[in-house]
Amino acid sequence: MATFKYLRCHSLDEAIDLLATHARQARILAGGTDLLVSIRDGLESPRYLIDIKPIAELHTLALEDGLLRIGASVTVNQLIDFEHLPAGMDAITEAASCLASYQIRNRATVGGNICNASPACDLGPPLLVLGAKVETISKRGRRTIPIEDFFEDVKVTRLEPDEIVTAILIPSPRGGVSTFLKRSRIKGHDLAVVNAAGAVTKDGNLRMAFGAVAPTPILVDDFNGARLDDTARIVDVLMNAISPIDDVRASAVYRKYMVEALAKKILETLMNRLQG
């Protein structure tokens, strides 16, 4: 393991000050389930780790003015167990339940999953179809980034070096429905070969998102007026939106096949949920 200085914060102001001072040499530690592995493997070598886990306000998980507020340090299992999740947000808990193992979900955070910015991150697609926004803070103030603008490239986000994610905000679907599916090489703990989420808004608009088929999770929300049961037209739009690659987990051809297969299953599930 590389040598670094561990800085434990108990307030957001303290974390902001430390990050402003060490922005180019520091990494934020929340769950650490990806970051510590990357440091161990020599992929990252920060001089400072700023631990934000003790900061109370980053653990908020509540409905506020029609928004589900998920604090950046809320663990994946806490999200799964949340009893007041609005109807129509099934995709987020279905995705969370597929993420890693139960033990890792006890430590892994929702904020960390999206900040890691893996093309295959499991929470990316459901947050995209549900219209989530990412709330951040720095010495310069707060800002809110639509999730579709948050991911920039493989393992790269739009966060500035001195910014900390404080929460993920999801508007209540209010009559909409959603779902999530994942295809991996094995059952259990494995990265997605392809993952996908779909949602139909209360106005009847279809939104679909896919992971592991482009440098970032991608959202498709314009299907040229196709109806929900017009599978061929919907799949055609999706094929023009993705750019999968060959890697150790799957070929590009297989990923294209899985996008079509998962899309058909998602459309069927959405139609069934709308009917009852």
Side-chain angles (χ1 to χ4, degrees):
M1 181 71 79
T3 300
F4 52 80
K5 188 170 183 179
Y6 172 76
L7 305 171
R8 185 176 175 87
C9 300
H10 292 86
S11 73
L12 202 49
D13 286 341
E14 182 184 3
I16 293 167
D17 288 341
L18 285 171
L19 190 57
T21 302
H22 304 297
R24 299 290 178 179
Q25 300 174 306
R27 288 297 308 272
I28 293 294
L29 176 68
T33 54
D34 285 306
L35 177 59
L36 292 178
V37 173
S38 294
I39 294 173
R40 182 199 64 192
D41 292 344
L43 301 175
E44 298 202 46
S45 53
R47 291 188 61 184
Y48 303 92
L49 283 191
I50 301 174
D51 188 356
I52 62 171
K53 197 83 167 183
I55 301 174
E57 71 179 272
L58 301 184
H59 292 267
T60 300
L61 180 55
L63 286 170
E64 300 177 351
D65 299 324
L67 290 174
L68 176 65
R69 183 181 184 86
I70 307 171
S73 292
V74 169
T75 69
V76 178
N77 272 344
Q78 286 173 331
L79 178 60
I80 294 169
D81 294 338
F82 185 57
E83 297 180 351
H84 305 292
L85 198 74
M89 287 193 185
D90 304 84
I92 193 74
T93 49
E94 290 169 356
S97 299
C98 292
L99 195 154
S101 65
Y102 184 88
Q103 293 89 340
I104 290 175
R105 292 196 296 268
N106 274 336
R107 179 71 191 179
T109 63
V110 178
N113 187 253
I114 63 167
C115 287
N116 187 51
S118 166
C121 70
D122 287 322
L123 296 182
L127 292 175
L128 283 164
V129 299
L130 292 171
K133 294 183 179 180
V134 182
E135 182 187 85
T136 73
I137 193 169
S138 69
K139 293 284 281 187
R140 291 169 285 108
R142 293 182 183 263
R143 68 170 177 148
T144 303
I145 309 169
I147 189 71
E148 59 266 32
D149 297 330
F150 183 75
F151 301 111
E152 183 173 5
D153 205 340
V154 178
K155 298 277 188 173
V156 180
T157 71
R158 301 280 183 183
L159 283 176
E160 297 294 336
D162 62 342
E163 280 186 304
I164 299 172
V165 170
T166 53
I168 296 92
L169 309 174
I170 309 176
S172 176
R174 291 187 178 139
V177 295
S178 66
T179 192
F180 172 87
L181 289 173
K182 175 178 178 177
R183 175 66 177 174
S184 55
R185 294 169 298 178
I186 61 173
K187 291 182 178 180
H189 179 195
D190 195 14
L191 289 173
V193 170
V194 175
N195 56 22
V200 177
T201 67
K202 63 179 180 180
D203 300 321
N205 297 319
L206 174 64
R207 295 166 63 90
M208 300 188 79
F210 289 81
V213 295
T216 68
I218 61 167
L219 172 68
V220 182
D221 58 2
D222 184 356
F223 292 93
N224 301 320
R227 297 180 322 204
L228 202 57
D229 60 355
D230 198 344
T231 306
R233 286 181 62 190
I234 291 171
V235 168
D236 185 58
V237 172
L238 294 174
M239 288 300 162
N240 289 323
I242 64 175
S243 54
I245 61 170
D246 299 324
D247 64 15
V248 295
R249 288 181 287 126
S251 67
V253 171
Y254 181 74
R255 285 189 163 100
K256 288 181 179 179
Y257 173 81
M258 286 311 306
V259 167
E260 180 176 358
L262 293 181
K264 289 177 178 178
K265 289 184 178 181
I266 283 174
L267 290 170
E268 181 181 358
T269 300
L270 292 174
M271 286 188 284
N272 288 338
R273 288 182 178 177
L274 284 170
Q275 292 168 3

